[in-house]
Amino acid sequence: MNKFLYTIETPSKTIGGDIYTSDLETAENACIEWGQDYGYSCVRENSTGEIVFDYGDIFDLVAQGIV
């Protein structure tokens, strides 16, 4: 079983779910792209659970009740 270092989470992206990778640069680039497309996206380090990178405005998603 592969152990990925990062998870890209995009709460308002309903198709495809979370994406996993071990390359931080790839994760950041995807996060920016999906943040632009869906309003907000973040990269979570799987070993600590901390968000290490995010893009967009999460407050709009909070106001919509998505997060």
Side-chain angles (χ1 to χ4, degrees):
M1 178 175 166
N2 283 334
K3 178 91 174 164
F4 295 105
L5 298 176
Y6 305 101
T7 302
I8 306 143
E9 301 172 358
T10 309
S12 63
K13 183 177 180 237
T14 57
I15 298 174
D18 297 337
I19 305 297
Y20 306 94
T21 184
S22 290
D23 181 34
L24 183 57
E25 184 177 355
T26 298
E28 290 175 348
N29 290 337
C31 180
I32 291 168
E33 181 178 335
W34 293 328
Q36 291 171 343
D37 290 346
Y38 297 99
Y40 178 80
S41 186
C42 67
V43 177
R44 186 176 304 275
E45 184 181 310
N46 293 330
S47 64
T48 64
E50 292 182 50
I51 293 175
V52 295
F53 185 84
D54 70 337
Y55 187 90
D57 185 5
I58 195 166
F59 295 110
D60 285 340
L61 299 178
V62 172
Q64 296 173 34
I66 295 174
V67 291

Tab-separated table of all heavy atoms in Angstrom:
chain	number	residue	atom	x	y	z
A	1	MET	N	0.836	-1.176	0.000
A	1	MET	CA	0.000	0.000	0.000
A	1	MET	C	0.882	1.241	0.000
A	1	MET	O	1.794	1.371	0.797
A	1	MET	CB	-0.900	-0.009	1.228
A	1	MET	CG	-1.772	1.199	1.335
A	1	MET	SD	-2.889	1.006	2.747
A	1	MET	CE	-3.438	2.661	2.881
A	2	ASN	N	0.595	2.168	-0.907
A	2	ASN	CA	1.337	3.421	-0.956
A	2	ASN	C	0.936	4.332	0.183
A	2	ASN	O	-0.228	4.410	0.550
A	2	ASN	CB	1.087	4.147	-2.281
A	2	ASN	CG	1.851	3.549	-3.421
A	2	ASN	OD1	2.889	2.933	-3.210
A	2	ASN	ND2	1.358	3.715	-4.620
A	3	LYS	N	1.908	5.025	0.719
A	3	LYS	CA	1.650	6.005	1.763
A	3	LYS	C	1.948	7.369	1.162
A	3	LYS	O	3.095	7.718	0.929
A	3	LYS	CB	2.571	5.729	2.959
A	3	LYS	CG	2.429	6.697	4.070
A	3	LYS	CD	1.410	6.238	5.047
A	3	LYS	CE	1.445	7.205	6.230
A	3	LYS	NZ	0.301	7.084	7.038
A	4	PHE	N	0.914	8.133	0.873
A	4	PHE	CA	1.084	9.444	0.283
A	4	PHE	C	1.333	10.478	1.377
A	4	PHE	O	0.776	10.385	2.466
A	4	PHE	CB	-0.146	9.823	-0.534
A	4	PHE	CG	-0.344	8.937	-1.733
A	4	PHE	CD1	-1.331	7.971	-1.729
A	4	PHE	CD2	0.468	9.064	-2.836
A	4	PHE	CE1	-1.515	7.141	-2.828
A	4	PHE	CE2	0.295	8.240	-3.937
A	4	PHE	CZ	-0.698	7.285	-3.938
A	5	LEU	N	2.134	11.479	1.064
A	5	LEU	CA	2.484	12.504	2.039
A	5	LEU	C	1.436	13.604	2.151
A	5	LEU	O	1.264	14.194	3.208
A	5	LEU	CB	3.839	13.129	1.681
A	5	LEU	CG	5.031	12.176	1.680
A	5	LEU	CD1	6.288	12.913	1.224
A	5	LEU	CD2	5.233	11.572	3.055
A	6	TYR	N	0.717	13.879	1.047
A	6	TYR	CA	-0.196	15.023	1.024
A	6	TYR	C	-1.561	14.645	0.457
A	6	TYR	O	-1.672	13.787	-0.407
A	6	TYR	CB	0.390	16.153	0.161
A	6	TYR	CG	1.763	16.566	0.610
A	6	TYR	CD1	2.893	16.130	-0.063
A	6	TYR	CD2	1.936	17.372	1.738
A	6	TYR	CE1	4.158	16.496	0.353
A	6	TYR	CE2	3.199	17.736	2.165
A	6	TYR	CZ	4.301	17.294	1.468
A	6	TYR	OH	5.555	17.649	1.899
A	7	THR	N	-2.579	15.343	0.946
A	7	THR	CA	-3.928	15.224	0.425
A	7	THR	C	-4.375	16.603	-0.028
A	7	THR	O	-4.237	17.571	0.717
A	7	THR	CB	-4.904	14.713	1.506
A	7	THR	OG1	-4.446	13.445	1.977
A	7	THR	CG2	-6.311	14.577	0.959
A	8	ILE	N	-4.915	16.694	-1.239
A	8	ILE	CA	-5.471	17.942	-1.736
A	8	ILE	C	-6.976	17.860	-1.522
A	8	ILE	O	-7.643	16.981	-2.062
A	8	ILE	CB	-5.155	18.150	-3.228
A	8	ILE	CG1	-3.649	18.039	-3.456
A	8	ILE	CG2	-5.674	19.504	-3.712
A	8	ILE	CD1	-3.279	17.369	-4.723
A	9	GLU	N	-7.490	18.762	-0.710
A	9	GLU	CA	-8.914	18.780	-0.375
A	9	GLU	C	-9.569	19.996	-1.020
A	9	GLU	O	-9.087	21.118	-0.864
A	9	GLU	CB	-9.091	18.838	1.135
A	9	GLU	CG	-8.458	17.663	1.856
A	9	GLU	CD	-8.472	17.815	3.369
A	9	GLU	OE1	-8.945	18.850	3.874
A	9	GLU	OE2	-7.997	16.885	4.042
A	10	THR	N	-10.673	19.763	-1.714
A	10	THR	CA	-11.433	20.829	-2.353
A	10	THR	C	-12.894	20.613	-1.977
A	10	THR	O	-13.600	19.845	-2.633
A	10	THR	CB	-11.222	20.797	-3.881
A	10	THR	OG1	-9.815	20.775	-4.146
A	10	THR	CG2	-11.828	22.026	-4.538
A	11	PRO	N	-13.357	21.250	-0.903
A	11	PRO	CA	-14.679	20.951	-0.352
A	11	PRO	C	-15.853	21.096	-1.324
A	11	PRO	O	-16.794	20.315	-1.260
A	11	PRO	CB	-14.819	21.944	0.799
A	11	PRO	CG	-13.431	22.293	1.182
A	11	PRO	CD	-12.640	22.225	-0.089
A	12	SER	N	-15.823	22.067	-2.220
A	12	SER	CA	-16.977	22.248	-3.102
A	12	SER	C	-16.856	21.467	-4.400
A	12	SER	O	-17.755	21.496	-5.222
A	12	SER	CB	-17.189	23.737	-3.407
A	12	SER	OG	-16.080	24.258	-4.101
A	13	LYS	N	-15.781	20.714	-4.590
A	13	LYS	CA	-15.613	19.851	-5.763
A	13	LYS	C	-16.309	18.531	-5.450
A	13	LYS	O	-15.837	17.737	-4.669
A	13	LYS	CB	-14.128	19.620	-6.041
A	13	LYS	CG	-13.859	18.804	-7.266
A	13	LYS	CD	-12.355	18.690	-7.489
A	13	LYS	CE	-12.099	17.876	-8.716
A	13	LYS	NZ	-11.275	16.721	-8.455
A	14	THR	N	-17.447	18.306	-6.085
A	14	THR	CA	-18.264	17.148	-5.734
A	14	THR	C	-17.871	15.885	-6.484
A	14	THR	O	-18.208	14.792	-6.070
A	14	THR	CB	-19.752	17.434	-5.995
A	14	THR	OG1	-19.916	17.789	-7.375
A	14	THR	CG2	-20.253	18.558	-5.119
A	15	ILE	N	-17.161	16.015	-7.584
A	15	ILE	CA	-16.773	14.848	-8.371
A	15	ILE	C	-15.285	14.587	-8.165
A	15	ILE	O	-14.469	15.480	-8.260
A	15	ILE	CB	-17.063	15.063	-9.863
A	15	ILE	CG1	-18.558	15.259	-10.061
A	15	ILE	CG2	-16.558	13.902	-10.690
A	15	ILE	CD1	-18.952	15.629	-11.454
A	16	GLY	N	-14.919	13.363	-7.861
A	16	GLY	CA	-13.526	12.982	-7.763
A	16	GLY	C	-12.977	12.898	-6.359
A	16	GLY	O	-12.023	12.193	-6.125
A	17	GLY	N	-13.542	13.607	-5.412
A	17	GLY	CA	-13.077	13.534	-4.032
A	17	GLY	C	-11.685	14.093	-3.837
A	17	GLY	O	-11.187	14.873	-4.628
A	18	ASP	N	-11.043	13.689	-2.760
A	18	ASP	CA	-9.704	14.153	-2.435
A	18	ASP	C	-8.680	13.483	-3.348
A	18	ASP	O	-8.889	12.377	-3.826
A	18	ASP	CB	-9.362	13.831	-0.982
A	18	ASP	CG	-10.266	14.552	0.005
A	18	ASP	OD1	-10.848	15.591	-0.359
A	18	ASP	OD2	-10.381	14.071	1.146
A	19	ILE	N	-7.552	14.171	-3.552
A	19	ILE	CA	-6.467	13.667	-4.383
A	19	ILE	C	-5.240	13.507	-3.493
A	19	ILE	O	-4.967	14.352	-2.641
A	19	ILE	CB	-6.164	14.642	-5.544
A	19	ILE	CG1	-7.418	14.925	-6.358
A	19	ILE	CG2	-5.023	14.124	-6.407
A	19	ILE	CD1	-8.017	13.720	-7.054
A	20	TYR	N	-4.485	12.454	-3.704
A	20	TYR	CA	-3.318	12.146	-2.880
A	20	TYR	C	-2.046	12.165	-3.722
A	20	TYR	O	-2.061	11.698	-4.864
A	20	TYR	CB	-3.483	10.761	-2.240
A	20	TYR	CG	-4.772	10.633	-1.485
A	20	TYR	CD1	-5.897	10.095	-2.089
A	20	TYR	CD2	-4.867	11.082	-0.176
A	20	TYR	CE1	-7.095	9.999	-1.405
A	20	TYR	CE2	-6.063	10.983	0.521
A	20	TYR	CZ	-7.165	10.441	-0.103
A	20	TYR	OH	-8.356	10.351	0.574
A	21	THR	N	-0.947	12.675	-3.147
A	21	THR	CA	0.344	12.709	-3.818
A	21	THR	C	1.457	12.798	-2.783
A	21	THR	O	1.206	13.169	-1.628
A	21	THR	CB	0.438	13.894	-4.809
A	21	THR	OG1	1.677	13.836	-5.507
A	21	THR	CG2	0.327	15.233	-4.099
A	22	SER	N	2.662	12.494	-3.208
A	22	SER	CA	3.821	12.662	-2.334
A	22	SER	C	4.695	13.830	-2.782
A	22	SER	O	5.735	14.084	-2.195
A	22	SER	CB	4.653	11.376	-2.302
A	22	SER	OG	3.923	10.373	-1.612
A	23	ASP	N	4.270	14.544	-3.814
A	23	ASP	CA	5.027	15.662	-4.356
A	23	ASP	C	4.340	16.973	-3.973
A	23	ASP	O	3.238	17.261	-4.451
A	23	ASP	CB	5.138	15.524	-5.871
A	23	ASP	CG	5.935	16.643	-6.508
A	23	ASP	OD1	6.898	17.128	-5.884
A	23	ASP	OD2	5.600	17.024	-7.650
A	24	LEU	N	4.986	17.773	-3.129
A	24	LEU	CA	4.378	19.011	-2.639
A	24	LEU	C	4.142	20.006	-3.766
A	24	LEU	O	3.112	20.677	-3.789
A	24	LEU	CB	5.236	19.636	-1.543
A	24	LEU	CG	4.680	20.907	-0.902
A	24	LEU	CD1	3.294	20.680	-0.323
A	24	LEU	CD2	5.641	21.426	0.167
A	25	GLU	N	5.055	20.113	-4.716
A	25	GLU	CA	4.871	21.062	-5.818
A	25	GLU	C	3.640	20.711	-6.650
A	25	GLU	O	2.845	21.579	-7.007
A	25	GLU	CB	6.111	21.108	-6.707
A	25	GLU	CG	6.001	22.145	-7.809
A	25	GLU	CD	7.250	22.251	-8.660
A	25	GLU	OE1	8.258	21.590	-8.361
A	25	GLU	OE2	7.204	23.013	-9.636
A	26	THR	N	3.468	19.440	-6.942
A	26	THR	CA	2.279	18.986	-7.666
A	26	THR	C	1.019	19.296	-6.868
A	26	THR	O	0.017	19.757	-7.419
A	26	THR	CB	2.366	17.468	-7.942
A	26	THR	OG1	3.506	17.226	-8.758
A	26	THR	CG2	1.122	16.944	-8.619
A	27	ALA	N	1.063	19.055	-5.567
A	27	ALA	CA	-0.088	19.326	-4.703
A	27	ALA	C	-0.429	20.811	-4.697
A	27	ALA	O	-1.600	21.191	-4.789
A	27	ALA	CB	0.200	18.840	-3.285
A	28	GLU	N	0.580	21.669	-4.588
A	28	GLU	CA	0.340	23.114	-4.574
A	28	GLU	C	-0.239	23.591	-5.897
A	28	GLU	O	-1.163	24.414	-5.914
A	28	GLU	CB	1.633	23.859	-4.250
A	28	GLU	CG	2.075	23.680	-2.812
A	28	GLU	CD	3.423	24.309	-2.530
A	28	GLU	OE1	4.148	24.692	-3.482
A	28	GLU	OE2	3.770	24.418	-1.326
A	29	ASN	N	0.290	23.093	-7.013
A	29	ASN	CA	-0.227	23.502	-8.327
A	29	ASN	C	-1.679	23.082	-8.513
A	29	ASN	O	-2.498	23.854	-9.019
A	29	ASN	CB	0.650	22.925	-9.445
A	29	ASN	CG	2.011	23.581	-9.507
A	29	ASN	OD1	2.200	24.705	-9.049
A	29	ASN	ND2	2.979	22.880	-10.058
A	30	ALA	N	-2.018	21.866	-8.106
A	30	ALA	CA	-3.406	21.401	-8.202
A	30	ALA	C	-4.306	22.221	-7.284
A	30	ALA	O	-5.433	22.572	-7.647
A	30	ALA	CB	-3.497	19.921	-7.852
A	31	CYS	N	-3.796	22.533	-6.103
A	31	CYS	CA	-4.554	23.329	-5.139
A	31	CYS	C	-4.894	24.703	-5.718
A	31	CYS	O	-6.023	25.177	-5.589
A	31	CYS	CB	-3.724	23.462	-3.859
A	31	CYS	SG	-4.502	24.424	-2.563
A	32	ILE	N	-3.938	25.339	-6.352
A	32	ILE	CA	-4.181	26.648	-6.972
A	32	ILE	C	-5.225	26.531	-8.072
A	32	ILE	O	-6.173	27.322	-8.136
A	32	ILE	CB	-2.870	27.239	-7.518
A	32	ILE	CG1	-1.946	27.621	-6.365
A	32	ILE	CG2	-3.143	28.451	-8.414
A	32	ILE	CD1	-0.523	27.953	-6.773
A	33	GLU	N	-5.069	25.525	-8.930
A	33	GLU	CA	-6.009	25.346	-10.038
A	33	GLU	C	-7.428	25.120	-9.530
A	33	GLU	O	-8.384	25.755	-9.978
A	33	GLU	CB	-5.574	24.175	-10.905
A	33	GLU	CG	-6.471	23.941	-12.094
A	33	GLU	CD	-6.002	22.808	-12.983
A	33	GLU	OE1	-4.801	22.493	-12.987
A	33	GLU	OE2	-6.863	22.231	-13.671
A	34	TRP	N	-7.584	24.198	-8.571
A	34	TRP	CA	-8.923	23.899	-8.059
A	34	TRP	C	-9.453	25.011	-7.172
A	34	TRP	O	-10.660	25.221	-7.105
A	34	TRP	CB	-8.929	22.553	-7.344
A	34	TRP	CG	-8.698	21.431	-8.316
A	34	TRP	CD1	-9.092	21.390	-9.613
A	34	TRP	CD2	-8.002	20.223	-8.069
A	34	TRP	NE1	-8.684	20.205	-10.194
A	34	TRP	CE2	-8.015	19.479	-9.269
A	34	TRP	CE3	-7.370	19.689	-6.961
A	34	TRP	CZ2	-7.419	18.232	-9.378
A	34	TRP	CZ3	-6.784	18.439	-7.080
A	34	TRP	CH2	-6.807	17.728	-8.261
A	35	GLY	N	-8.570	25.733	-6.501
A	35	GLY	CA	-9.003	26.897	-5.730
A	35	GLY	C	-9.598	27.956	-6.639
A	35	GLY	O	-10.595	28.599	-6.294
A	36	GLN	N	-8.993	28.135	-7.814
A	36	GLN	CA	-9.538	29.088	-8.785
A	36	GLN	C	-10.863	28.604	-9.352
A	36	GLN	O	-11.791	29.387	-9.537
A	36	GLN	CB	-8.530	29.313	-9.920
A	36	GLN	CG	-7.303	30.066	-9.490
A	36	GLN	CD	-6.219	30.095	-10.550
A	36	GLN	OE1	-6.221	29.321	-11.505
A	36	GLN	NE2	-5.265	30.999	-10.376
A	37	ASP	N	-10.962	27.307	-9.607
A	37	ASP	CA	-12.178	26.749	-10.206
A	37	ASP	C	-13.334	26.607	-9.217
A	37	ASP	O	-14.493	26.785	-9.583
A	37	ASP	CB	-11.897	25.370	-10.802
A	37	ASP	CG	-11.010	25.430	-12.039
A	37	ASP	OD1	-10.822	26.532	-12.598
A	37	ASP	OD2	-10.494	24.366	-12.443
A	38	TYR	N	-13.026	26.255	-7.964
A	38	TYR	CA	-14.071	25.920	-6.993
A	38	TYR	C	-14.119	26.831	-5.775
A	38	TYR	O	-14.852	26.570	-4.836
A	38	TYR	CB	-13.900	24.467	-6.535
A	38	TYR	CG	-14.071	23.479	-7.658
A	38	TYR	CD1	-12.965	22.928	-8.300
A	38	TYR	CD2	-15.340	23.109	-8.099
A	38	TYR	CE1	-13.118	22.030	-9.337
A	38	TYR	CE2	-15.495	22.210	-9.142
A	38	TYR	CZ	-14.383	21.678	-9.758
A	38	TYR	OH	-14.545	20.788	-10.798
A	39	GLY	N	-13.299	27.872	-5.749
A	39	GLY	CA	-13.367	28.846	-4.662
A	39	GLY	C	-12.359	28.640	-3.545
A	39	GLY	O	-11.867	29.600	-2.965
A	40	TYR	N	-12.034	27.388	-3.214
A	40	TYR	CA	-11.071	27.108	-2.137
A	40	TYR	C	-10.558	25.684	-2.259
A	40	TYR	O	-11.308	24.767	-2.573
A	40	TYR	CB	-11.713	27.279	-0.755
A	40	TYR	CG	-10.761	26.945	0.376
A	40	TYR	CD1	-9.819	27.861	0.800
A	40	TYR	CD2	-10.792	25.700	0.982
A	40	TYR	CE1	-8.922	27.550	1.813
A	40	TYR	CE2	-9.901	25.378	2.004
A	40	TYR	CZ	-8.976	26.308	2.409
A	40	TYR	OH	-8.077	25.996	3.413
A	41	SER	N	-9.274	25.531	-1.977
A	41	SER	CA	-8.653	24.213	-1.929
A	41	SER	C	-7.469	24.287	-0.969
A	41	SER	O	-6.903	25.361	-0.766
A	41	SER	CB	-8.182	23.800	-3.329
A	41	SER	OG	-7.712	22.471	-3.331
A	42	CYS	N	-7.104	23.148	-0.370
A	42	CYS	CA	-5.963	23.143	0.545
A	42	CYS	C	-5.172	21.850	0.406
A	42	CYS	O	-5.668	20.850	-0.098
A	42	CYS	CB	-6.413	23.329	1.988
A	42	CYS	SG	-7.368	21.954	2.660
A	43	VAL	N	-3.918	21.923	0.863
A	43	VAL	CA	-3.035	20.764	0.893
A	43	VAL	C	-2.795	20.414	2.350
A	43	VAL	O	-2.346	21.252	3.125
A	43	VAL	CB	-1.690	21.050	0.188
A	43	VAL	CG1	-0.759	19.856	0.295
A	43	VAL	CG2	-1.911	21.447	-1.263
A	44	ARG	N	-3.112	19.181	2.717
A	44	ARG	CA	-2.936	18.713	4.091
A	44	ARG	C	-1.789	17.711	4.140
A	44	ARG	O	-1.713	16.795	3.328
A	44	ARG	CB	-4.215	18.064	4.589
A	44	ARG	CG	-4.188	17.679	6.054
A	44	ARG	CD	-5.517	17.123	6.516
A	44	ARG	NE	-6.633	18.012	6.293
A	44	ARG	CZ	-7.006	18.994	7.115
A	44	ARG	NH1	-6.321	19.240	8.204
A	44	ARG	NH2	-8.060	19.723	6.837
A	45	GLU	N	-0.869	17.903	5.093
A	45	GLU	CA	0.187	16.915	5.302
A	45	GLU	C	-0.413	15.762	6.092
A	45	GLU	O	-0.931	15.945	7.197
A	45	GLU	CB	1.367	17.518	6.062
A	45	GLU	CG	2.499	16.538	6.193
A	45	GLU	CD	3.671	17.087	6.961
A	45	GLU	OE1	4.133	18.196	6.650
A	45	GLU	OE2	4.094	16.385	7.892
A	46	ASN	N	-0.353	14.567	5.532
A	46	ASN	CA	-1.046	13.427	6.120
A	46	ASN	C	-0.471	12.980	7.464
A	46	ASN	O	-1.219	12.508	8.322
A	46	ASN	CB	-1.067	12.260	5.138
A	46	ASN	CG	-1.919	12.574	3.931
A	46	ASN	OD1	-2.878	13.328	4.012
A	46	ASN	ND2	-1.565	12.008	2.799
A	47	SER	N	0.823	13.131	7.678
A	47	SER	CA	1.411	12.646	8.930
A	47	SER	C	1.034	13.514	10.128
A	47	SER	O	0.923	13.012	11.242
A	47	SER	CB	2.936	12.559	8.816
A	47	SER	OG	3.486	13.847	8.632
A	48	THR	N	0.810	14.816	9.903
A	48	THR	CA	0.480	15.712	11.014
A	48	THR	C	-0.967	16.188	10.993
A	48	THR	O	-1.468	16.663	12.004
A	48	THR	CB	1.387	16.958	10.993
A	48	THR	OG1	1.115	17.704	9.800
A	48	THR	CG2	2.846	16.578	11.067
A	49	GLY	N	-1.605	16.112	9.829
A	49	GLY	CA	-2.965	16.622	9.689
A	49	GLY	C	-3.033	18.123	9.487
A	49	GLY	O	-4.113	18.694	9.365
A	50	GLU	N	-1.876	18.785	9.434
A	50	GLU	CA	-1.843	20.242	9.279
A	50	GLU	C	-2.015	20.651	7.820
A	50	GLU	O	-1.547	19.967	6.913
A	50	GLU	CB	-0.515	20.789	9.783
A	50	GLU	CG	-0.332	20.669	11.269
A	50	GLU	CD	0.978	21.277	11.726
A	50	GLU	OE1	1.265	22.426	11.339
A	50	GLU	OE2	1.705	20.593	12.445
A	51	ILE	N	-2.678	21.785	7.618
A	51	ILE	CA	-2.773	22.369	6.285
A	51	ILE	C	-1.475	23.119	6.038
A	51	ILE	O	-1.121	24.026	6.790
A	51	ILE	CB	-3.993	23.298	6.176
A	51	ILE	CG1	-5.281	22.472	6.289
A	51	ILE	CG2	-3.956	24.087	4.871
A	51	ILE	CD1	-6.546	23.272	6.320
A	52	VAL	N	-0.761	22.721	4.971
A	52	VAL	CA	0.528	23.325	4.667
A	52	VAL	C	0.449	24.337	3.533
A	52	VAL	O	1.399	25.087	3.294
A	52	VAL	CB	1.596	22.254	4.350
A	52	VAL	CG1	1.874	21.400	5.577
A	52	VAL	CG2	1.178	21.392	3.177
A	53	PHE	N	-0.675	24.366	2.829
A	53	PHE	CA	-0.854	25.303	1.720
A	53	PHE	C	-2.339	25.404	1.438
A	53	PHE	O	-3.053	24.410	1.507
A	53	PHE	CB	-0.118	24.796	0.475
A	53	PHE	CG	-0.149	25.738	-0.693
A	53	PHE	CD1	0.770	26.763	-0.792
A	53	PHE	CD2	-1.087	25.595	-1.699
A	53	PHE	CE1	0.758	27.635	-1.869
A	53	PHE	CE2	-1.117	26.458	-2.784
A	53	PHE	CZ	-0.185	27.478	-2.861
A	54	ASP	N	-2.816	26.609	1.156
A	54	ASP	CA	-4.209	26.741	0.729
A	54	ASP	C	-4.336	27.891	-0.247
A	54	ASP	O	-3.458	28.740	-0.356
A	54	ASP	CB	-5.161	26.880	1.907
A	54	ASP	CG	-5.054	28.189	2.655
A	54	ASP	OD1	-3.997	28.844	2.592
A	54	ASP	OD2	-6.029	28.558	3.314
A	55	TYR	N	-5.440	27.877	-0.980
A	55	TYR	CA	-5.682	28.883	-1.989
A	55	TYR	C	-7.182	29.136	-2.056
A	55	TYR	O	-7.972	28.196	-2.111
A	55	TYR	CB	-5.177	28.419	-3.356
A	55	TYR	CG	-5.262	29.489	-4.412
A	55	TYR	CD1	-4.208	30.349	-4.635
A	55	TYR	CD2	-6.414	29.646	-5.169
A	55	TYR	CE1	-4.279	31.346	-5.587
A	55	TYR	CE2	-6.511	30.637	-6.124
A	55	TYR	CZ	-5.435	31.485	-6.334
A	55	TYR	OH	-5.522	32.472	-7.276
A	56	GLY	N	-7.569	30.399	-2.041
A	56	GLY	CA	-8.973	30.758	-2.154
A	56	GLY	C	-9.517	31.304	-0.854
A	56	GLY	O	-8.770	31.620	0.071
A	57	ASP	N	-10.831	31.431	-0.810
A	57	ASP	CA	-11.518	32.035	0.335
A	57	ASP	C	-12.460	31.020	0.973
A	57	ASP	O	-13.550	30.763	0.468
A	57	ASP	CB	-12.291	33.268	-0.128
A	57	ASP	CG	-12.925	34.028	1.015
A	57	ASP	OD1	-12.699	33.677	2.188
A	57	ASP	OD2	-13.658	34.994	0.723
A	58	ILE	N	-12.034	30.461	2.081
A	58	ILE	CA	-12.851	29.458	2.767
A	58	ILE	C	-14.103	30.061	3.393
A	58	ILE	O	-15.110	29.383	3.575
A	58	ILE	CB	-12.036	28.674	3.825
A	58	ILE	CG1	-12.797	27.410	4.234
A	58	ILE	CG2	-11.699	29.561	5.002
A	58	ILE	CD1	-11.985	26.413	4.982
A	59	PHE	N	-14.078	31.364	3.660
A	59	PHE	CA	-15.231	31.997	4.306
A	59	PHE	C	-16.477	31.969	3.431
A	59	PHE	O	-17.590	31.881	3.946
A	59	PHE	CB	-14.884	33.427	4.736
A	59	PHE	CG	-13.833	33.451	5.801
A	59	PHE	CD1	-12.546	33.913	5.533
A	59	PHE	CD2	-14.093	32.970	7.085
A	59	PHE	CE1	-11.576	33.926	6.504
A	59	PHE	CE2	-13.120	32.970	8.071
A	59	PHE	CZ	-11.863	33.450	7.773
A	60	ASP	N	-16.314	32.010	2.117
A	60	ASP	CA	-17.477	31.859	1.235
A	60	ASP	C	-18.105	30.474	1.392
A	60	ASP	O	-19.330	30.339	1.377
A	60	ASP	CB	-17.077	32.069	-0.220
A	60	ASP	CG	-16.841	33.532	-0.566
A	60	ASP	OD1	-17.334	34.410	0.174
A	60	ASP	OD2	-16.163	33.790	-1.582
A	61	LEU	N	-17.267	29.439	1.554
A	61	LEU	CA	-17.786	28.086	1.734
A	61	LEU	C	-18.469	27.927	3.086
A	61	LEU	O	-19.463	27.219	3.195
A	61	LEU	CB	-16.668	27.061	1.586
A	61	LEU	CG	-15.959	27.030	0.241
A	61	LEU	CD1	-14.842	25.990	0.246
A	61	LEU	CD2	-16.921	26.761	-0.889
A	62	VAL	N	-17.946	28.609	4.097
A	62	VAL	CA	-18.579	28.586	5.422
A	62	VAL	C	-19.958	29.239	5.327
A	62	VAL	O	-20.951	28.715	5.851
A	62	VAL	CB	-17.699	29.281	6.484
A	62	VAL	CG1	-18.429	29.436	7.786
A	62	VAL	CG2	-16.398	28.513	6.667
A	63	ALA	N	-20.035	30.378	4.645
A	63	ALA	CA	-21.303	31.079	4.504
A	63	ALA	C	-22.333	30.244	3.748
A	63	ALA	O	-23.529	30.320	4.025
A	63	ALA	CB	-21.079	32.406	3.789
A	64	GLN	N	-21.862	29.418	2.816
A	64	GLN	CA	-22.762	28.549	2.045
A	64	GLN	C	-23.103	27.266	2.786
A	64	GLN	O	-23.921	26.486	2.324
A	64	GLN	CB	-22.124	28.195	0.708
A	64	GLN	CG	-21.902	29.357	-0.214
A	64	GLN	CD	-21.119	28.943	-1.450
A	64	GLN	OE1	-21.258	27.831	-1.946
A	64	GLN	NE2	-20.277	29.831	-1.948
A	65	GLY	N	-22.454	27.013	3.923
A	65	GLY	CA	-22.704	25.804	4.695
A	65	GLY	C	-21.985	24.567	4.178
A	65	GLY	O	-22.302	23.455	4.573
A	66	ILE	N	-20.989	24.759	3.305
A	66	ILE	CA	-20.248	23.616	2.753
A	66	ILE	C	-19.237	23.115	3.757
A	66	ILE	O	-19.017	21.910	3.889
A	66	ILE	CB	-19.575	24.005	1.420
A	66	ILE	CG1	-20.664	24.312	0.379
A	66	ILE	CG2	-18.649	22.909	0.923
A	66	ILE	CD1	-20.156	24.853	-0.931
A	67	VAL	N	-18.602	24.007	4.495
A	67	VAL	CA	-17.653	23.625	5.562
A	67	VAL	C	-18.049	24.306	6.849
A	67	VAL	O	-18.732	25.270	6.885
A	67	VAL	CB	-16.183	23.951	5.235
A	67	VAL	CG1	-15.693	23.057	4.137
A	67	VAL	CG2	-15.990	25.387	4.891
